[in-house]
Amino acid sequence: MRALILAAGKGTRIARALSGQPKSMVHIGDRPLITHTVELLKKAGIGHIGVAVGYQHTMIMEEI
């Protein structure tokens, strides 16, 4: 099974709370949302995970 995570937007509706980081990098507990998402997909048995990045793509790719 495969999954695609859409992580390309700026998050303009909540921009004041993000301090310039993308929504997928917002910390939930001790880790960014994108990390939680990837881990949940792996636990569900999804072996191929693609990530569509755009805004702050380097930050997101370094995290995952």
Side-chain angles (χ1 to χ4, degrees):
M1 193 176 293
R2 297 173 185 221
L4 177 62
I5 300 171
L6 304 177
K10 290 184 178 183
T12 56
R13 287 177 284 187
I14 60 169
R16 286 185 277 171
L18 297 177
S19 301
Q21 66 183 352
K23 281 190 295 189
S24 58
M25 293 299 295
V26 171
H27 274 69
I28 297 176
D30 61 340
R31 296 173 297 166
L33 176 60
I34 190 99
T35 303
H36 287 287
T37 304
V38 169
E39 288 176 1
L40 287 171
L41 290 169
K42 286 181 178 180
K43 284 181 185 177
I46 298 173
H48 298 282
I49 302 168
V51 181
V53 293
Y55 177 69
Q56 296 285 357
H57 65 280
T58 305
M59 182 187 298
I60 296 168
M61 295 309 294
E62 286 177 357
E63 178 60 34
I64 56 172

